[in-house]
Amino acid sequence: MNNQVEILLVEDNPADAELTISALKDRKLANNLVHVWDGQAALDFLFGNGTHAGRDVKHQPKVVLLDLKLPKVDGISVLRQLRANEHTKELPVVVLTSSREDSDVIETYHLGVNSYIVKPVNFENFSQTVSNLGMYWLLLNEPPIVP
Amino acid sequence: MPLLRDLPIRRKLSLAMLGTTLVVLVAACGALLAYQYAASRKELARHLTAIADVLALNSTAALSFARPDDAKETLQAISAKPSIEVAGIHDETGALFATYSRDEGNTPFPATPEPDGVRFAPNHLVVVRPVTLDDKRLGTLYLRADLTEITARLRANAQIAGFVLLGSLALALVLSTVLQRAITRPISALTDTAKAIADTRDYAARAQKHGTDEIGTLTDTFNEMLAGIQERDSALSAENVARRHAEDEIRILNASLERRVEERTAELQTANKELEGFSYSVSHDLRAPLRAVDGFSRMVFDKYSVQLGEEGRRLLGMVRSETARMGRLIDDLLSFSRLGRQKMEVASMDMRALAQGVFNELAASEPERKVRFDLRPLPAASGTVAMIRQVWVNLLSNAVKFTKERETGEIEVGTQDGGKEGPIYYVKDNGAGFDMRYVDKLFGVFQRLHSAGEFPGTGVGLALVQRIVQRHGGRVWAEAEINRGATFFFTLSHPRA
């Protein structure tokens, strides 16, 4: 299924979103990328609710790139709900945020995040990090098998 | 038997008066008695002599005519005087002529005449008188009387004296008891007052003055003393009250001061926290758009390089380099603010190894620079390693940076004795130095003494150094000459502190 979503990008900042997508595109990793703008949209998509009602929730993305500072439902709440749900408990989630706060790191790992990446300030580093992320989770990592 | 001096005054006085009276009376009576006795004896002697003379006269006839019986008869007249024991006449030959004896034959009579005269023997009076007629001695008359008369009278007198004595003593006792009051009452009054005052500590009381004698003077003096004590006492208690007031005030002041200090400290801490929180969020929130600027400008540079042309590329390059600078500024600001939130962990640090390690890194990052690093022995210190490492990084990288105009940069790191402050670490370079007139600005945040064109930098590095050193209880300062290099000194808290 070529149309299967591979990356769900949850990012409210248009500039950051464009840079991320651009970096992934450079590596040809953005072909099956879905971008949502807030936490509620992310949950709707993953659970097949609201505007994404009817989506086949058996087919989950290979990785969710999750920003923490989101409108409506913030990143940590999204993570908590994902981990509480049978279908999304093992879904690979990578927090991609500008926050370096200890509390955020602690809380997200406590909730079971797979990885925590601080967005580099420098664009070059940012590019490199994103493409590394994409390579790792899309090409290297073996996704979980949902029964 | 209580000692005389411990008797109450009352008793002493009575005893004194009685004693004096007694002694005086005894002396007087004694003298009187003695005089009377002596007078009696003299009288008796005279009396008996007279009797003897009369008898002698009456006996002349008997002696002249040798008629002893007549003489005896004459002598019988003596019986009228019972005190005469014996009487007798000796004739001119010394023989016994006639005798009289009161107690028939009991008392001895001298056989031969004794010399003329009047003699007192222990219990008798002996009178011996010549019997003469017309200057011719006919014989000797001998009289002996006992002294019972005298002694009886003496006894009677003594008895009377005794009664008089007793009566007088009784009178003296009464009088003394009454009279001693005149002295003892004022004294007792004074004593009681003194005792009462001593017990109650009521120095306002005064003793009552009785009379103007020595006791009166004593009373006056005593009262003066009391007045003095009272004054001092009230002055003292007034002082006490005043002092206690002052102490209370001080305590209140202290308490309010402490409260104010606490309030200020709390205020300061809140302000500090807010500032740090602010710095942190500001630097963080500034980064995101910066990344965008950096990224998109880069994308324009990459994708539209040809269309930009040389000038376009140069201008865009300026945008990009300023963007990079802003990023560094934000990083420095962030680490500056983060410093306040970091916990300090005190550990022993090998300062020499730390400095060497930092320099090696700096040298590795700029391999084209020629820098001579003279690292002297450094005493160990205690503090938070990460923070002190940052101090070395900032100071050494500054030294490296500001010596870039020199053929060979020379950096010397060592230590000086700081006395009570502990060792003074220093970093000395032969670089551009700075104008000492602006030394006060050196450690201010974002303060720079050189333009960015001369030497890059954000002006936060030294502020960070100062912050860290101060948190370790030390201080940092610098000396320099323009174009002759600079030396930065810092101390940390004394290891023992």
Side-chain angles (χ1 to χ4, degrees):
Chain A
M1 311 226 185
N2 275 4
N3 293 347
Q4 181 157 318
V5 172
E6 294 186 310
I7 303 177
L8 175 67
L9 174 63
V10 191
E11 173 64 64
D12 70 316
N13 184 312
D16 278 359
E18 183 166 340
L19 291 174
T20 307
I21 296 171
S22 170
L24 288 169
K25 265 208 185 113
D26 284 347
R27 295 298 194 144
K28 313 253 190 300
L29 298 167
N31 292 345
N32 295 306
L33 180 144
V34 170
H35 170 216
V36 294
W37 294 89
D38 61 67
Q40 187 59 54
L43 291 170
D44 286 347
F45 179 87
L46 291 168
F47 294 146
N49 293 333
T51 43
H52 299 276
R55 193 186 75 86
D56 183 3
V57 295
K58 272 215 278 288
H59 296 121
Q60 297 290 24
K62 285 187 176 165
V63 68
V64 175
L65 296 180
L66 180 64
D67 188 13
L68 289 183
K69 294 192 178 18
L70 298 167
K72 292 191 191 158
V73 182
D74 74 77
I76 290 187
S77 303
V78 169
L79 182 59
R80 190 177 293 122
Q81 293 190 51
L82 289 181
R83 288 292 176 256
N85 184 290
E86 273 298 312
H87 298 291
T88 52
K89 210 160 49 150
E90 293 159 3
L91 180 62
V93 174
V94 171
V95 159
L96 186 60
T97 178
S98 42
S99 162
R100 241 285 189 101
E101 293 276 346
D102 287 356
S103 53
D104 287 336
V105 177
I106 294 171
E107 185 67 16
T108 47
Y109 271 109
H110 186 67
L111 289 168
V113 74
N114 294 71
S115 179
Y116 190 107
I117 308 288
V118 176
K119 290 182 196 167
V121 185
N122 180 294
F123 173 68
E124 287 209 30
N125 297 348
F126 180 81
S127 255
Q128 189 66 49
T129 303
V130 167
S131 61
N132 285 348
L133 270 177
M135 298 271 281
Y136 181 86
W137 289 100
L138 258 48
L139 302 180
L140 213 56
N141 187 52
E142 199 62 48
I145 295 171
V146 183
Chain B
M1 167 79 184
L3 283 172
L4 218 59
R5 66 159 186 260
D6 291 336
L7 288 174
I9 288 191
R10 219 177 349 105
R11 206 131 293 160
K12 271 197 214 140
L13 275 174
S14 299
L15 272 176
M17 285 198 246
L18 274 175
T20 309
T21 313
L22 185 68
V23 165
V24 159
L25 276 175
V26 163
C29 288
L32 266 173
L33 281 174
Y35 169 73
Q36 250 184 16
Y37 183 69
S40 297
R41 275 172 49 132
K42 209 171 177 181
E43 172 64 27
L44 189 68
R46 212 170 31 79
H47 188 58
L48 279 185
T49 309
I51 291 178
D53 281 344
V54 164
L55 281 174
L57 204 65
N58 287 350
S59 307
T60 53
L63 270 173
S64 318
F65 299 120
R67 294 164 64 132
D69 293 333
D70 285 346
K72 198 165 187 159
E73 237 179 91
T74 308
L75 286 178
Q76 282 301 119
I78 291 174
S79 60
K81 194 124 185 87
S83 62
I84 298 180
E85 284 182 343
V86 295
I89 300 173
H90 290 96
D91 63 23
E92 70 264 23
T93 62
L96 200 61
F97 189 67
T99 63
Y100 157 84
S101 175
R102 190 182 62 194
D103 322 302
E104 291 292 323
N106 276 353
T107 43
F109 192 85
T112 51
E114 293 188 3
D116 292 347
V118 179
R119 285 181 289 282
F120 273 97
N123 293 330
H124 307 276
L125 176 63
V126 169
V127 176
V128 178
R129 302 294 286 160
V131 180
T132 58
L133 184 66
D134 302 325
D135 298 322
K136 183 171 168 225
R137 191 186 183 108
L138 296 177
T140 312
L141 181 75
Y142 174 89
L143 261 187
R144 192 171 77 219
D146 64 28
L147 302 176
T148 52
E149 212 175 291
I150 302 183
T151 48
R153 198 180 309 165
L154 190 66
R155 197 171 301 132
N157 283 344
Q159 275 180 338
I160 294 173
F163 283 125
V164 165
L165 207 69
L166 281 173
S168 307
L169 273 177
L171 190 63
L173 186 69
V174 169
L175 276 176
S176 73
T177 309
V178 168
L179 291 176
Q180 56 87 20
R181 268 196 218 129
I183 297 189
T184 50
R185 196 187 285 147
I187 294 186
S188 297
L190 193 61
T191 313
D192 289 340
T193 310
K195 245 199 247 161
I197 292 179
D199 283 342
T200 65
R201 296 190 186 281
D202 173 18
Y203 301 118
R206 296 283 179 271
Q208 195 184 8
K209 180 171 173 176
H210 301 275
T212 53
D213 58 351
E214 285 86 344
I215 303 206
T217 311
L218 184 65
T219 311
D220 280 340
T221 315
F222 182 69
N223 286 342
E224 267 175 50
M225 252 174 42
L226 279 177
I229 292 181
Q230 189 185 18
E231 231 181 87
R232 212 176 308 153
D233 195 45
S234 64
L236 217 72
S237 53
E239 257 183 48
N240 256 6
V241 168
R243 192 171 34 86
R244 219 163 289 144
H245 271 210
E247 279 179 8
D248 283 341
E249 258 178 61
I250 289 181
R251 216 173 299 130
I252 293 175
L253 215 67
N254 266 357
S256 85
L257 262 169
E258 278 183 25
R259 226 182 317 114
R260 279 198 284 176
V261 165
E262 272 178 36
E263 281 171 21
R264 288 287 172 278
T265 313
E267 277 175 27
L268 268 167
Q269 282 176 342
T270 320
N272 256 1
K273 260 209 181 64
E274 282 180 9
L275 202 65
E276 283 169 9
F278 174 73
S279 305
Y280 185 80
S281 71
V282 156
S283 59
H284 243 276
D285 294 339
L286 286 176
R287 270 192 177 162
L290 200 63
R291 180 174 45 243
V293 170
D294 189 23
F296 290 118
S297 62
R298 167 73 182 268
M299 285 179 3
V300 166
F301 200 90
D302 289 344
K303 295 190 173 136
Y304 300 96
S305 181
V306 176
Q307 288 93 320
L308 280 173
E310 203 177 311
E311 182 63 2
R313 283 196 290 277
R314 188 188 71 82
L315 292 173
L316 200 56
M318 294 281 293
V319 170
R320 299 213 64 237
S321 72
E322 283 307 295
T323 307
R325 191 166 93 85
M326 187 159 164
R328 283 194 298 278
L329 220 70
I330 292 176
D331 280 345
D332 283 349
L333 197 60
L334 194 63
S335 46
F336 188 74
S337 84
R338 195 181 289 146
L339 181 67
R341 282 129 48 89
Q342 266 177 12
K343 273 200 206 65
M344 294 187 67
E345 281 173 32
V346 174
S348 177
M349 307 178 293
D350 182 349
M351 291 294 263
R352 200 168 184 280
L354 212 55
Q356 183 71 66
V358 166
F359 180 78
N360 292 345
E361 277 179 29
L362 288 170
S365 71
E366 283 182 85
E368 68 285 358
R369 286 286 313 277
K370 269 217 270 296
V371 177
R372 199 165 67 80
F373 189 47
D374 179 7
L375 178 57
R376 308 279 172 86
L378 301 177
S382 46
T384 307
V385 179
M387 290 188 187
I388 300 299
R389 190 168 190 286
Q390 187 67 49
V391 167
W392 286 119
V393 164
N394 287 12
L395 290 179
L396 287 173
S397 62
N398 271 3
V400 165
K401 178 162 66 183
F402 284 91
T403 55
K404 76 175 178 25
E405 300 298 317
R406 305 281 177 253
E407 167 94 30
T408 306
E410 298 196 3
I411 303 179
E412 182 188 316
V413 171
T415 180
Q416 293 174 347
D417 184 20
K420 272 200 290 204
E421 270 191 291
I424 301 178
Y425 302 91
Y426 67 84
V427 175
K428 184 167 170 208
D429 66 66
N430 69 337
F434 57 84
D435 191 339
M436 278 297 280
R437 275 185 298 170
Y438 305 112
V439 70
D440 293 332
K441 291 184 154 191
L442 204 58
F443 297 96
V445 180
F446 292 144
Q447 298 281 6
R448 304 202 68 228
L449 300 187
H450 299 86
S451 69
E454 294 176 286
F455 300 99
T458 56
V460 177
L462 285 178
L464 201 62
V465 165
Q466 185 177 60
R467 205 71 195 287
I468 292 175
V469 163
Q470 277 174 352
R471 280 194 84 189
H472 280 77
R475 60 186 186 102
V476 61
W477 68 99
E479 286 164 12
E481 255 191 82
I482 300 196
N483 273 325
R484 303 281 286 274
T487 312
F488 282 79
F489 306 88
F490 69 94
T491 60
L492 303 173
S493 73
H494 205 270
R496 231 176 286 129

